[in-house]
Amino acid sequence: MNGYLNNKKLYFHLIFLFALSLYYLIPQFLFGQFIIKSHDLLDSEIVYNHVIGKIYRGEFESIELFLGGELKWYFLRRILQPLTFLYAIFSTETAYWLTDIIVKATCYICLYKLSRKLKCSLFNSSLIACLFAYSIDAWTHFGLGIATFPYLIYLLIKNKNLRIKHYFLLSFIGLNTDLANEVLIIPMLFFIYLVMCSSLQKYNFKLFIKISFVLYFCIFLSNSNLIYTQIFEGPFHREVFFYESINFGTNLVNLLKNFFAIPDFNQAYFFHMLPYTFFIFPIVLVSLFSKNKKIYLLLLIIFFTLLINFILDLEFITSLKNNSEGLLKTIHWGYVKRLLPVLYGLLFILISRLNIIKKTKYLIYPLLFLSLITFQIRISAVPITKQLINFDNLNVEQRENLRIYFHEGKYSLLFKEIKEMNKIKIKDINRNFKSLYTFKGYYDYDNYKFIKSLVNDSRTISIGLDPMVAVVNNIKVIDGYHNLYPLSYKLKFRKIIKDQLIYYPNLKNYYDNWGQRIYTFVTEPDVININFAEAKILGADYVISKYSISNDKLHPICEKCNDSPELFLYKIKI
């Protein structure tokens, strides 16, 4: 009997781990490259880890690549996390994918272990563990905090004395947990344990304190550089954040939509949220009819977690935040919602043990499997479609129409326009695949290697291009995307883009009220109003541009550099 169960367990593991691996295998099979979401990863977080890896290898001067050399090494998140050391051993791309695989595998193992402890079937345990691993695909670079949260619940429910191995694991988890994102992990753990504690089991407060102490001690240790920075450095750009409230009615609708994971169909990229809808909506819906006390309490925790964002967006609260200082203003308390996939997993585990699962199996299981499928393709969908469909023979007006229809959510007009053009043909998908959703396509190594040979150790500013691409290619910059940098630098850089922002009120509000992206904000070749004299003062000697620029303060070094039609290099003559 045990042999049969072991074979069955192995069978389910192989099936769902293979399903998990399809996220990597499909694009690798089609294009020979892995596909990744560029937003907040390729344009920022991975760049920080790249530089951290260089620092680990002894290249301490690499911190000078950023923002005119005004950043200090201890401004960087994760610089003390052990997992980040992978970037010192491997190439940046290899280190990222290794981290991604490690964190997702940890997700799978931890939730599977918890579900089996709660007497969930082998099939359901494997299914929900796989979905949980998929659900954090955009957050794996933050470390092990979310991934190991089910293991913390498991230790408390198990209710056994901690051994040396447990202390070692807890220490490793804490050292690889991001303080800014998981600062509320222990309070959340307290309430979940309170709910999940068996009626035959007393609340082991002593065990909870031990786990909490080890975790927080190691979390604070691995994030001590940021704590030091907040206390002894500054002021930072975050201290002038200006939060805007949301209309109460809209805010309330958003709360209800978030509770049921209903995406905003008015947004162009709503399909990125569909896998979460297929995952969360059926679980929440069935849970509401479960008539189970523990399930209702977990739903209550989920609701109050989402309520945090609702409260933070109220006019009165935003006014208080805008007039406050320090951590009350700069910490995003709503990040606690990133722990919610664990609660959805717990809900599924509990309802799978009730009779209601038999009555609703034709609703819940098809949607969960649909979630599995869409999780695999949601990031790959755009680059694969662009590669499969050839738009080379469309003129500028036709391309602009397609872009407008897509971003305004007019999908019927989009497909109608494509059909009427009748000039779209399938291309060879393995031929010259280049996409901004890949490391090679985004960081444009070959062309920037050519640029590096021309600028050497001089500093640059980018026009219409992501300056963090230059950083990855070992080119010094004065611009970039940063979540922590001196307020004084933000004010200096604004002199460079002051006239440019006049043309874009939304971008002006973004820079003045938020300002994480220190960009030139040039999106049109006819609107380039950059003060190159101020850029020179801030340290830039060269301009890397997507567009050809005619300006008496610039001397062209190369146009269509390295035969790239959208790469120009100029030297600032001032």
Side-chain angles (χ1 to χ4, degrees):
M1 185 66 178
N2 286 336
Y4 171 75
L5 288 176
N6 286 334
N7 289 335
K8 196 174 181 181
K9 182 196 299 185
L10 179 62
Y11 176 72
F12 286 136
H13 282 327
L14 289 175
I15 288 176
F16 286 103
L17 287 175
F18 176 72
L20 199 56
S21 70
L22 289 176
Y23 176 82
Y24 311 101
L25 296 178
I26 291 174
Q28 187 68 28
F29 174 76
L30 289 175
F31 311 119
Q33 297 183 60
F34 295 122
I35 290 178
I36 179 177
K37 180 175 79 77
S38 58
H39 180 68
D40 284 347
L41 289 176
L42 290 173
D43 59 2
S44 59
E45 300 291 350
I46 291 173
V47 185
Y48 308 148
N49 288 353
H50 168 78
V51 171
I52 290 171
K54 293 169 75 71
I55 293 173
Y56 280 155
R57 292 194 294 268
E59 300 175 37
F60 299 107
E61 70 282 358
S62 295
I63 192 65
E64 296 289 323
L65 291 169
F66 289 126
L67 280 192
E70 291 208 15
L71 291 192
K72 308 286 179 31
W73 68 267
Y74 45 84
F75 288 11
L76 301 179
R77 291 166 71 176
R78 300 181 298 279
I79 195 167
L80 300 180
Q81 282 189 14
L83 266 182
T84 314
F85 193 71
L86 289 172
Y87 286 82
I89 303 172
F90 302 100
S91 69
T92 300
E93 181 173 7
T94 301
Y96 173 80
W97 291 116
L98 278 175
T99 303
D100 194 67
I101 291 169
I102 289 169
V103 173
K104 286 180 179 176
T106 303
C107 286
Y108 182 90
I109 293 167
C110 290
L111 193 61
Y112 179 85
K113 195 171 184 67
L114 173 61
S115 60
R116 293 298 290 153
K117 180 66 180 176
L118 294 172
K119 300 183 178 1
C120 189
S121 70
L122 289 172
F123 174 80
N124 285 328
S125 296
S126 302
L127 171 61
I128 198 62
C130 186
L131 283 167
F132 174 54
Y134 267 128
S135 70
I136 69 162
D137 72 303
W139 307 327
T140 55
H141 60 284
F142 286 128
L144 295 174
I146 300 173
T148 55
F149 193 50
Y151 177 71
L152 304 180
I153 301 170
Y154 167 82
L155 285 180
L156 288 169
I157 292 175
K158 189 178 179 183
N159 199 26
K160 301 288 186 181
N161 290 330
L162 297 178
R163 298 181 181 179
I164 296 297
K165 68 175 182 179
H166 297 128
Y167 284 111
F168 174 79
L169 287 172
L170 288 171
S171 299
F172 190 73
I173 291 168
L175 290 173
N176 288 286
T177 296
D178 185 77
L179 179 62
N181 282 284
E182 281 102 48
V183 66
L184 297 178
I185 194 170
I186 297 301
M188 177 71 83
L189 182 64
F190 175 84
F191 289 112
I192 292 176
Y193 179 38
L194 203 61
V195 171
M196 298 303 296
C197 195
S198 169
S199 57
L200 302 176
Q201 174 187 335
K202 291 184 179 179
Y203 195 100
N204 194 336
F205 193 71
K206 183 178 179 181
L207 178 61
F208 173 78
I209 290 296
K210 285 181 181 179
I211 292 174
S212 301
F213 176 79
V214 175
L215 269 180
Y216 265 147
F217 177 80
C218 293
I219 290 173
F220 288 139
L221 186 63
S222 64
N223 291 271
S224 57
N225 60 305
L226 298 179
I227 297 171
Y228 173 87
T229 299
Q230 287 290 340
I231 296 173
F232 297 107
E233 297 283 348
F236 295 105
H237 79 289
R238 304 176 74 90
E239 296 182 33
V240 294
F241 275 0
F242 184 83
Y243 298 91
E244 295 183 4
S245 61
I246 298 176
N247 173 273
F248 183 83
T250 303
N251 200 12
L252 186 60
V253 170
N254 288 342
L255 174 62
L256 295 174
K257 281 185 175 181
N258 289 333
F259 184 72
F260 289 102
I262 299 173
D264 184 353
F265 292 100
N266 293 319
Q267 292 186 358
Y269 290 93
F270 74 89
F271 57 85
H272 280 314
M273 296 306 298
L274 286 179
Y276 295 96
T277 303
F278 300 141
F279 170 38
I280 297 168
F281 179 77
I283 291 175
V284 171
L285 187 64
V286 173
S287 297
L288 288 172
F289 295 96
S290 65
K291 299 180 182 179
N292 181 278
K293 181 181 177 182
K294 284 187 179 180
I295 290 176
Y296 286 154
L297 288 173
L298 286 177
L299 284 173
L300 203 59
I301 293 175
I302 291 172
F303 181 78
F304 278 113
T305 301
L306 295 172
L307 193 65
I308 293 174
N309 281 305
F310 173 82
I311 293 171
L312 290 174
D313 286 331
L314 293 174
E315 184 176 357
F316 173 70
I317 300 299
T318 55
S319 178
L320 284 178
K321 288 181 69 176
N322 289 332
N323 289 286
S324 63
E325 296 179 353
L327 294 179
L328 286 175
K329 183 170 188 174
T330 59
I331 284 188
H332 199 308
W333 302 100
Y335 281 160
V336 67
K337 70 180 180 181
R338 291 181 175 175
L339 295 169
L340 290 183
V342 180
L343 275 80
Y344 297 125
L346 282 172
L347 283 176
F348 177 77
I349 291 167
L350 293 179
I351 62 176
S352 69
R353 293 157 44 186
L354 302 176
N355 287 330
I356 194 171
I357 195 70
K358 296 179 181 178
K359 299 176 182 178
T360 59
K361 63 181 180 181
Y362 295 112
L363 165 69
I364 196 166
Y365 285 111
L367 288 176
L368 291 182
F369 277 103
L370 188 58
S371 177
L372 273 182
I373 295 168
T374 51
F375 265 129
Q376 293 167 18
I377 64 172
R378 74 187 188 101
I379 302 300
S380 302
V382 172
I384 287 176
T385 302
K386 286 182 177 180
Q387 185 68 7
L388 289 174
I389 300 177
N390 182 11
F391 293 97
D392 291 343
N393 46 15
L394 304 186
N395 60 40
V396 174
E397 183 181 355
Q398 289 173 322
R399 294 188 186 195
E400 182 63 17
N401 285 339
L402 293 179
R403 188 189 69 81
I404 291 173
Y405 293 152
F406 177 75
H407 286 284
E408 291 183 357
K410 298 176 180 178
Y411 300 109
S412 60
L413 289 175
L414 174 69
F415 293 119
K416 182 180 179 181
E417 186 82 3
I418 291 174
K419 185 178 179 180
E420 288 178 354
M421 288 169 186
N422 199 27
K423 294 179 181 179
I424 300 170
K425 57 185 179 180
I426 300 298
K427 298 190 294 183
D428 177 5
I429 61 176
N430 286 311
R431 185 188 63 198
N432 301 323
F433 177 69
K434 184 176 181 180
S435 170
L436 294 180
Y437 286 75
T438 66
F439 276 76
K440 184 178 179 181
Y442 194 87
Y443 292 131
D444 203 7
Y445 296 115
D446 291 338
N447 288 327
Y448 272 78
K449 182 179 180 181
F450 180 79
I451 296 295
K452 173 64 177 178
S453 70
L454 298 176
V455 303
N456 296 311
D457 289 331
S458 298
R459 208 167 285 279
T460 66
I461 186 171
S462 294
I463 303 291
L465 297 167
D466 182 1
M468 299 298 257
V469 173
V471 173
V472 169
N473 287 280
N474 207 34
I475 297 172
K476 294 178 179 178
V477 302
I478 67 168
D479 40 357
Y481 179 8
H482 296 277
N483 48 44
L484 191 68
Y485 69 94
L487 174 60
S488 59
Y489 194 88
K490 177 181 179 179
L491 300 177
K492 291 176 189 175
F493 193 85
R494 198 187 189 286
K495 296 177 183 178
I496 298 172
I497 59 174
K498 180 180 67 173
D499 294 333
Q500 183 72 17
L501 294 178
I502 293 173
Y503 290 85
Y504 304 102
N506 290 337
L507 292 175
K508 178 180 180 298
N509 288 337
Y510 165 80
Y511 188 83
D512 292 339
N513 298 341
W514 203 250
Q516 303 275 73
R517 297 178 185 270
I518 313 102
Y519 288 176
T520 52
F521 298 112
V522 174
T523 57
E524 302 171 77
D526 297 330
V527 184
I528 302 177
N529 293 282
I530 303 301
N531 191 326
F532 295 108
E534 289 293 343
K536 180 72 173 180
I537 293 172
L538 207 52
D541 294 309
Y542 290 89
V543 177
I544 305 173
S545 178
K546 180 179 180 179
Y547 311 110
S548 176
I549 305 174
S550 178
N551 190 296
D552 58 5
K553 294 182 175 61
L554 299 180
H555 173 69
I557 301 299
C558 67
E559 299 194 347
K560 298 185 177 180
C561 305
N562 204 34
D563 296 325
S564 175
E566 295 185 330
L567 190 61
F568 301 81
L569 181 67
Y570 301 90
K571 185 174 179 62
I572 302 176
K573 293 191 293 186
I574 303 165

